[in-house]
Amino acid sequence: MPPSRPRRRPLAPRVVLRSALVVPAALAVGTVLALGACGAGPSGGDPAHSPIVTSFYPIEFATEQIAGPGRDVTVLTKPGAEPHDLEIGAQDLARMTRAGLVVYANGFQPAVDEAIQQIDEARVLDISGPADLTLEPSEDGHDDESAADHADHGTADPHFWLDPVRYAAVAKAIGARLAADDPAHAAAYAANTDAFVARLTELDTEFRTGLQQCTDRQLVTSHAAFGYLAARYGLTQHSISGISPDAEPSAAALKQIGDLVRRDGVTTIYQETLVEPQFAETVARSTGATLATLDPIEGVTKSSAGSDYFEIMRSNLKALEKGQGCR
Ligand SMILES: [Zn+2]
């Protein structure tokens, strides 16, 4: 073990307990060499074996893909839970405290931002920088009613993962961090990162091609999750409820959206998987537009239109091609 190895902590009883859980999984995927190389048994500070805690699905998914099956990657936001208003319990905080690395996006989940204050910053990766959060929530087309809500969620639109290009930049940052923390496996992390980024590049090409020629470039969504996607592929997002799905639109905001739908001949209003469709239904009913589903991929459940990010994004693309009159 090189003396420069970072963040090695003394063995404590809980570490021994955790290692007992980790070792069989590690053996199963053939990281026996790493165990041997680390000498006298795994320790809590060993980056090759320490658990990684992620804040919500897109970060969990990228981290899993890059870390590989030998690493223990968990997520704070349970599948099917709406991530914006996540609460952090004592057990979650304990998990974060024990983790070798916590990966999150500052400004998206206030409870995570707060809990992070209690974690050693040397064991934290904030991906909001590489995510390049250039959109203001107010650019997403909703009114000032939800301004207070924006203050809770930081000043920028956090939904970077719905733009494959931004998601790829985040994946690269995660890969670089895993390699830096665990140089013995740097080549594997780099290869996994390249493979993940290649899949995102392919997805980007499919979106570019699929949304190149559409009769309707106005995108009317439930909550303002699709701003980066819209900007990437030449659509303009108009959201009914703003950046946070819980924000109730005012009567004036609903009227404004309804007017836009009628004026521009928008044929499709998109509801979402984790959000009650009542307001999207209201707008659709009052304008004669059709309801379709777009998934913001903030969590994956049985009702998602696919089992992972890539499947759901391709389902989103299909819905957009139909709803926006493309090709
Ligand atoms: Zn959201």
Side-chain angles (χ1 to χ4, degrees):
M1 195 69 68
S4 61
R5 192 134 220 165
R7 301 189 298 282
R8 180 155 198 149
R9 284 170 292 146
L11 277 171
R14 60 171 171 77
V15 173
V16 174
L17 184 68
R18 180 161 47 81
S19 300
L21 294 173
V22 169
V23 169
L27 287 172
V29 296
T31 47
V32 182
L33 260 180
L35 280 177
C38 293
S43 88
D46 180 356
H49 307 285
S50 58
I52 304 169
V53 173
T54 61
S55 52
F56 75 112
Y57 174 74
I59 295 179
E60 175 197 25
F61 183 62
T63 305
E64 272 177 356
Q65 300 295 307
I66 294 164
R71 297 294 304 269
D72 172 11
V73 179
T74 56
V75 66
L76 292 168
T77 310
K78 290 175 186 65
E82 211 297 306
H84 289 264
D85 301 317
L86 174 76
E87 288 177 18
I88 296 285
Q91 284 187 330
D92 298 320
L93 190 59
R95 189 145 56 100
M96 293 169 79
T97 308
R98 282 195 306 265
L101 182 65
V102 179
V103 191
Y104 84 116
N106 186 48
F108 179 42
Q109 296 170 288
V112 176
D113 294 352
E114 201 182 308
I116 284 291
Q117 303 301 318
Q118 300 179 53
I119 309 300
D120 174 7
E121 63 180 338
R123 293 186 297 105
V124 170
L125 174 61
D126 168 19
I127 55 77
S128 64
D132 188 26
L133 306 179
T134 50
L135 283 185
E136 297 294 321
S138 58
E139 289 173 43
D140 294 329
H142 45 81
D143 70 353
D144 292 330
E145 299 279 327
S146 48
D149 194 64
H150 298 159
D152 287 347
H153 293 78
T155 51
D157 177 355
H159 302 90
F160 65 87
W161 60 94
L162 295 165
D163 169 9
V165 177
R166 280 184 168 79
Y167 196 25
V170 166
K172 285 177 188 168
I174 293 171
R177 178 57 183 262
L178 293 182
D181 283 2
D182 181 15
H185 299 96
Y189 297 135
N192 291 346
T193 303
D194 288 349
F196 189 68
V197 168
R199 293 180 72 190
L200 288 171
T201 305
E202 194 186 330
L203 184 69
D204 173 48
T205 305
E206 289 174 33
F207 266 83
R208 234 168 251 290
T209 310
L211 301 181
Q212 205 158 32
Q213 290 177 351
C214 309
T215 54
D216 188 0
R217 310 223 66 105
Q218 310 301 324
L219 177 67
V220 180
T221 64
S222 296
H223 95 285
F226 299 90
Y228 293 114
L229 185 153
R232 180 68 64 194
Y233 304 112
L235 304 171
T236 304
Q237 174 181 250
H238 305 274
S239 79
I240 298 172
S241 67
I243 208 81
S244 176
D246 291 341
E248 285 211 3
S250 64
L254 281 174
K255 183 185 179 299
Q256 203 185 341
I257 289 271
D259 289 348
L260 172 111
V261 168
R262 275 184 223 95
R263 191 189 66 222
D264 286 32
V266 172
T267 60
T268 306
I269 313 286
Y270 299 92
Q271 60 180 348
E272 293 169 19
T273 30
L274 299 182
V275 180
E276 287 294 319
Q278 52 183 344
F279 298 115
E281 274 169 359
T282 302
V283 175
R285 209 180 304 122
S286 69
T287 58
T290 306
L291 269 185
T293 302
L294 271 187
D295 192 328
I297 323 184
E298 297 186 339
V300 176
T301 65
K302 286 196 187 74
S303 62
S304 302
S307 65
D308 70 11
Y309 172 84
F310 290 102
E311 286 187 13
I312 301 170
M313 278 299 271
R314 290 192 166 96
S315 156
N316 282 343
L317 176 57
K318 273 205 192 96
L320 287 169
E321 285 173 345
K322 186 162 181 248
Q324 305 301 119
C326 309
R327 282 181 187 152

